[in-house]
Amino acid sequence: MASKSWLNILTFLCGSAIGFFFCSQLFSILLGEQGDTQPNILHNDPHARHSDDNGQNHPEGQMNFNADSSQHKDENTDIAENLYQKVKILCWVMTGPQNLEKKAKHVKATWAQRCNKVLFMSSEENKDFPTVGLKTKEGRDQLYWKTIKAFQYVHDHYLEDADWFMKADDDTYVILDNLRWLLSKYSPEKPIYFGRRFKPFVKQGYMSGGAGYVLSKEALKRFIDAFKTEKCTHSSSIEDLALGKCMEVMNVEAGDSRDTTGKETFHPFVPEHHLIKSYLPRTFWYWNYNYYPPVQGPGCCSDLAVSFHYVDSTTMYELEYLVYHLRAYGYLYRYQPALPENILKEVSQVNKNEDPKVKLGNP
Amino acid sequence: MLSEGSSFLKGVMIGSIFYALITVLGHIKIGHGNRMHHHEHHHLQAPNKEEILKISEDERMELSRSFRVYCIILVKPRDVSLWAAVKETWTKHCDKAEFFSSEDVKVFESINMETNDMWLMMKKAYKYAFDKYSDQYNWFFLARPTTFAIIENLKYFLLKKDPSQPFYIGHTIKSGDFEYVSVEGGIVLSVESLKRLNSLLNTSEKCPEQGGMIWKISEDKQLAVCLKYAGVFAENAEDAEGKDVFNTKSVGLFIKEAMTNHPDQVVEGCCSDMAVTFNGLTPNQMHVMMYGVYRLRGFGHTFNDALIFLPPNGSDND
C-alpha cells in the first residue's frame, strides 16, 4: 500500500514537472520576446524625426534619403579627388573562372571601384563579369605565365591610360587612396616598383605577390621589353620571385614602400596577423623573408596601409567599413603626414579655410 | 495503473497552472510600473552639427571637454583575456575607467564587489560610482568586457543631451510591453538617472535584492524595472538614417548577415558610420578594431567635426 502511494506521488511530481516545462515553452512562444528586431531602414519612417528635432534647422541634404549621403555630409574628399586625377592607377586582379563568384565579386564590390581602371584577369574570357581571357590554364604553376600575359595585355591596350600599374590577387584588399599618396612622390617615368619587399634570392629584394605590387610606366615598358629581347625567362613556378629577378635584370629599382615613420604599408596577411604579437610563430618563414626589420604589434602597420592579403569575402567588406565608414568622431590622428609639394600648392589655393585636421608639413 | 495515470495527469495540470500563475503575477508586477508612466516609444537621434560648426576651435575644444564619461566594466575571473584586451584598448578613451569584479583577480587591479550575482554587482558598482564620482562625471557608461566602445562617438551622440535630465540610452529590447537597454550593447546613464537610481537602490520592492522570484531575471531587465520606478525610461539610440548606434553584435556578424540579406549593399546596409558599440568580439578583434577605428583610413578624406578629441597619453595602439 505504501509503495503504491509512493508511485502515485512520483507520477504526480513527474507530471507537474512536465506540465511546468511544457507551459514555459508555450508561454515563451506566445509572448514572443521581441529580441533584436533591427528596424528595417525605412527611409520614410516618421520615427526618424524625433520631437526633439523641432528646434533645429535641417539642412536640405537630409530630404534626400540616399543611404550614405548624410553620414558623409561633412566629408571633404578634395585631396583624394585631386590625387585620383594626378596619380592614375590601373589595377589588374588575378582571378580564375572558379573564383569569380566566390572572391572576385567582392573585390569588384569594394576597392576595385577606386582604381582609375580595373581589369579582372582570368584564363578564360567572361563577357558578363567581365574578365579578360588570357588563354592560359589555371593553377599555381601558371601564375607567372598569367602575370606576363596580363601585363602584356595591359601594355598593349592601356599603356597611355595610366601612370602606375598595380597587380593584386582576388584575396587582396587595396586602399587606393593610400597607394596614390605613396606614389605621388615619384615620377612614372622612373623605373621603379613597390610592394612588400622580401630579401632572399634577389640582391635588391623582390615584392610579395599576394600583398600586391605596383609598377611605374617605365617599369612596365622594361618588363615587356625583357621578353622581346629574351633577357628574362618565361618559365617559373614562383611568380613574385621571377618577376623580382626580372626587375633586377632590367634595372628597375625595388622601392621602399614604408611610410615616413618606417611602418610597412603592403601587408602579406590580414591586420590581425600583424597586429597581434606572437600571432605568427617565431619559426614562420615570414620572419626571415622581410627585407626591413619585421615588427609585430601596433608598429607593424602604417595608418596609411596600402594592402592586406589572404582577405576572405567577409573581411573584404569589414575592411571597407573600417577604412571608409566607421571612424572616431573628432579624433585628431597621431600620424599626420605631409601632402606632396605639388598637391599642397593646388589644394591651399582652392581651400582658403584652415582645416585643423590637415596638418601640413608634419613628418 | 489507472490511478497512476490519473495522478500523472493531475500533476501535469497542476504544474501548468502553477507556471501560468507565476508568469502572470510576474508580468503584473513589472507591468504595474508601466501603467504609471505611459509614454510613447521613441528613438533618440544623433545631433545635427550645423550650429556647432559656427563656433571657434577653442570653443569646440571646451565643448568637447565638457563631456566627462566614467566607464564601468563588470568582469568575472573567466573574462581574463577579454579584460586584458579591453584594458589595453578602448577603455583608455574613457575619461576614467574602472573594473568591477566578482572577486579579486591577481593579474589585474579591480574593485571587488564580492558577489557572483550580476545584478548585485551592477547595483554595487552604480552605488560606488554615484558615491564617489557623481560630481566629477556627467555620463556613466556600463559594459561587459565582450563589448568594444568608441567613446568619441558616444560623446558626439550625447552632444545636445543635458545630463541633468534622466537619460537611459543604449540598444533597447522589448519584452512584451516592457523595454530595457541590453547590457551587451552597453548602458548609458546621465548623472541624473544615476542619482535617481541611487535613491532607490536600497528599496527592495522596487529594486529587488537578487534575481527574480523563482528563476533569475537578467540584470539589464532588473535595472530597467528599477529605473522605471524612478521615472527613467529606456531609449534606443539611432543615427540620422535610423541605424542602431549601440550594437549587440560584432561587425563580422553584421557583414555576414548583410551578405545573405542584401548582397548588393553589404557595407551600406551594415552598420552606422557613427557606431558607439559592438559586442561579441574576441580579444584579438578588439586590437584590430583599435587599429581600424583610430588609425587606418584613406588618405585625402578629411572631416570638419564639431568636436575635437586628442589621443590619450602613453598609448601606442591609437
Side-chain angles (χ1 to χ4, degrees):
Chain A
M1 301 330 110
S3 62
K4 208 166 187 211
S5 58
W6 265 117
L7 200 59
N8 274 336
I9 292 169
L10 205 63
T11 43
F12 179 81
L13 286 173
C14 260
S16 56
I18 290 172
F20 195 88
F21 178 73
F22 182 71
C23 220
S24 77
Q25 293 306 299
L26 203 70
F27 265 67
S28 66
I29 292 168
L30 289 177
L31 287 177
E33 188 97 274
Q34 278 177 48
D36 308 63
T37 44
Q38 291 261 39
N40 253 332
I41 301 157
L42 281 176
H43 294 302
N44 289 319
D45 185 356
H47 278 218
R49 290 266 174 279
H50 186 238
S51 54
D52 264 331
D53 294 343
N54 282 338
Q56 298 173 16
N57 264 335
H58 289 290
E60 281 147 2
Q62 282 200 349
M63 290 319 280
N64 171 20
F65 288 117
N66 190 336
D68 259 18
S69 70
S70 76
Q71 298 285 10
H72 294 261
K73 228 174 344 111
D74 348 283
E75 188 172 347
N76 184 318
T77 53
D78 289 351
I79 296 168
E81 284 170 27
N82 189 303
L83 282 174
Y84 182 89
Q85 299 301 330
K86 287 249 149 27
V87 185
K88 291 193 166 58
I89 304 178
L90 180 149
C91 312
W92 70 263
V93 180
M94 175 88 85
T95 186
Q98 358 49 312
N99 282 340
L100 296 185
E101 280 302 300
K102 280 195 299 179
K103 299 184 176 191
K105 183 173 94 158
H106 308 296
V107 167
K108 190 161 168 242
T110 57
W111 63 265
Q113 300 165 54
R114 297 189 186 89
C115 304
N116 295 75
K117 174 82 190 154
V118 63
L119 297 165
F120 288 88
M121 301 292 188
S122 171
S123 49
E124 298 166 20
E125 184 187 23
N126 180 312
K127 292 212 168 87
D128 297 318
F129 191 83
T131 65
V132 171
L134 299 172
K135 300 192 185 81
T136 61
K137 287 180 280 203
E138 287 293 331
R140 217 179 155 72
D141 56 331
Q142 295 291 303
L143 285 178
Y144 190 45
W145 184 229
K146 280 176 84 175
T147 303
I148 295 168
K149 297 212 84 183
F151 273 123
Q152 184 80 62
Y153 182 90
V154 166
H155 176 271
D156 295 344
H157 297 90
Y158 296 103
L159 188 64
E160 296 313 319
D161 293 18
D163 305 309
W164 299 85
F165 302 85
M166 167 103 195
K167 175 260 172 181
D169 284 349
D170 52 18
D171 59 353
T172 308
Y173 183 86
V174 183
I175 304 168
L176 270 302
D177 294 306
N178 295 342
L179 181 57
R180 288 192 183 94
W181 172 76
L182 173 71
L183 299 175
S184 63
K185 311 178 198 60
Y186 300 91
S187 160
E189 316 307 326
K190 189 181 159 95
I192 192 169
Y193 79 124
F194 294 95
R196 168 64 78 111
R197 204 165 167 190
F198 283 161
K199 68 179 177 224
F201 316 122
V202 182
K203 191 152 168 285
Q204 67 162 3
Y206 68 98
M207 306 305 173
S208 154
Y213 46 77
V214 56
L215 277 60
S216 67
K217 193 191 301 251
E218 179 59 29
L220 175 60
K221 284 183 188 164
R222 290 191 189 193
F223 183 65
I224 300 306
D225 198 55
F227 297 101
K228 289 205 186 95
T229 56
E230 289 180 7
K231 291 210 179 89
C232 290
T233 170
H234 289 88
S235 66
S236 165
S237 59
I238 309 170
E239 166 241 338
D240 46 12
L241 180 54
L243 188 125
K245 281 194 169 131
C246 190
M247 292 286 106
E248 188 168 71
V249 161
M250 300 306 289
N251 289 318
V252 173
E253 184 186 337
D256 180 355
S257 57
R258 295 174 304 169
D259 73 15
T260 53
T261 63
K263 294 193 184 70
E264 297 273 11
T265 56
F266 289 76
H267 302 283
F269 304 108
V270 290
E272 188 177 350
H273 297 199
H274 292 283
L275 288 166
I276 306 298
K277 294 190 176 125
S278 27
Y279 192 103
L280 302 170
R282 276 272 137 220
T283 50
F284 201 49
W285 59 263
Y286 173 73
W287 301 109
N288 296 319
Y289 268 52
N290 217 49
Y291 190 90
Y292 304 106
V295 180
Q296 279 181 305
C300 68
C301 315
S302 174
D303 286 21
L304 301 182
V306 170
S307 72
F308 294 99
H309 182 223
Y310 292 120
V311 177
D312 64 20
S313 54
T314 315
T315 311
M316 282 280 171
Y317 295 107
E318 281 187 58
L319 284 170
E320 181 79 8
Y321 175 66
L322 290 177
V323 177
Y324 290 105
H325 294 265
L326 185 65
R327 65 187 184 97
Y329 189 84
Y331 188 67
L332 218 56
Y333 297 114
R334 289 186 200 273
Y335 183 51
Q336 302 276 1
L339 270 173
E341 278 281 315
N342 46 344
I343 314 290
L344 205 76
K345 285 194 198 105
E346 273 189 48
V347 170
S348 40
Q349 270 167 11
V350 171
N351 302 339
K352 296 289 174 166
N353 307 329
E354 275 286 297
D355 189 322
K357 282 304 141 20
V358 182
K359 288 236 173 83
L360 309 168
N362 181 13
Chain B
M1 252 296 285
L2 205 62
S3 66
E4 274 114 52
S6 72
S7 52
F8 181 79
L9 284 172
K10 276 185 214 154
V12 172
M13 255 176 52
I14 301 290
S16 324
I17 293 170
F18 189 56
Y19 181 88
L21 214 66
I22 289 177
T23 313
V24 166
L25 277 174
H27 276 266
I28 288 177
K29 212 175 181 217
I30 289 174
H32 184 62
N34 243 347
R35 242 152 266 136
M36 299 196 351
H37 305 272
H38 178 68
H39 75 291
E40 278 171 29
H41 158 69
H42 60 283
H43 313 245
L44 281 184
Q45 285 266 302
N48 144 329
K49 301 129 276 183
E50 266 54 32
E51 298 139 50
I52 317 279
L53 290 177
K54 295 178 192 144
I55 68 180
S56 74
E57 191 179 320
D58 284 335
E59 285 174 310
R60 286 192 222 176
M61 285 234 60
E62 211 187 295
L63 175 63
S64 308
R65 279 192 287 257
S66 71
F67 299 95
R68 309 254 315 141
V69 175
Y70 175 81
C71 296
I72 296 169
I73 301 100
L74 301 178
V75 288
K76 290 193 159 178
R78 61 156 193 255
D79 298 323
V80 151
S81 54
L82 284 169
W83 182 345
V86 159
K87 202 165 131 79
E88 287 161 23
T89 59
W90 64 266
T91 55
K92 291 190 279 190
H93 291 244
C94 300
D95 293 284
K96 189 173 182 67
E98 287 192 300
F99 293 83
F100 295 79
S101 57
S102 52
E103 56 191 77
D104 271 327
V105 177
K106 279 192 204 112
V107 257
F108 296 119
E109 227 180 77
S110 66
I111 297 160
N112 191 352
M113 298 284 92
E114 287 165 348
T115 173
N116 256 315
D117 181 71
M118 283 308 288
W119 170 228
L120 202 51
M121 264 179 84
M122 188 183 268
K123 283 201 297 177
K124 284 176 136 188
Y126 274 131
K127 174 146 183 57
Y128 178 93
F130 176 75
D131 288 341
K132 211 164 173 201
Y133 297 118
S134 58
D135 53 349
Q136 292 172 54
Y137 298 92
N138 43 21
W139 294 96
F140 296 81
F141 176 65
L142 185 143
R144 290 281 286 129
T146 48
T147 305
F148 184 90
I150 305 168
I151 301 299
E152 289 79 6
N153 290 352
L154 174 60
K155 291 181 176 178
Y156 171 59
F157 184 79
L158 298 173
L159 194 49
K160 289 213 156 172
K161 297 179 181 38
D162 179 1
S164 66
Q165 293 296 308
F167 284 103
Y168 166 40
I169 302 165
H171 178 106
T172 59
I173 297 178
K174 287 204 231 6
S175 175
D177 207 9
F178 170 68
E179 195 176 4
Y180 66 99
V181 171
S182 166
V183 67
E184 293 185 325
I187 305 173
V188 179
L189 292 181
S190 61
V191 66
E192 174 61 25
S193 298
L194 188 64
K195 210 176 278 177
R196 294 192 191 186
L197 175 68
N198 185 69
S199 62
L200 283 181
L201 279 176
N202 294 319
T203 324
S204 56
E205 316 94 61
K206 303 196 173 149
C207 279
E209 277 292 307
Q210 259 173 294
M213 279 152 294
I214 304 267
W215 57 88
K216 281 193 188 262
I217 298 176
S218 63
E219 69 277 14
D220 42 9
K221 281 192 199 148
Q222 299 274 31
L223 180 67
V225 170
C226 213
L227 284 170
K228 229 176 201 154
Y229 279 111
V232 180
F233 302 97
E235 292 175 300
N236 196 49
E238 293 164 15
D239 66 16
E241 291 159 24
K243 287 185 193 168
D244 281 348
V245 141
F246 291 80
N247 298 294
T248 53
K249 297 187 269 207
S250 62
V251 177
L253 195 52
F254 274 115
I255 296 287
K256 285 195 171 83
E257 288 177 358
M259 285 172 75
T260 313
N261 301 333
H262 39 93
D264 293 328
Q265 293 265 295
V266 176
V267 178
E268 294 78 0
C270 157
C271 332
S272 175
D273 282 23
M274 289 290 116
V276 176
T277 60
F278 289 102
N279 187 58
L281 284 86
T282 64
N284 284 2
Q285 285 168 344
M286 300 233 180
H287 289 279
V288 175
M289 283 297 279
M290 216 48 194
Y291 174 67
V293 171
Y294 292 104
R295 296 177 55 204
L296 184 65
R297 60 200 187 271
F299 186 82
H301 296 253
T302 58
F303 295 86
N304 190 9
D305 289 337
L307 298 173
I308 304 172
F309 298 112
L310 300 176
N313 284 331
S315 178
D316 65 354
N317 59 2
D318 50 20

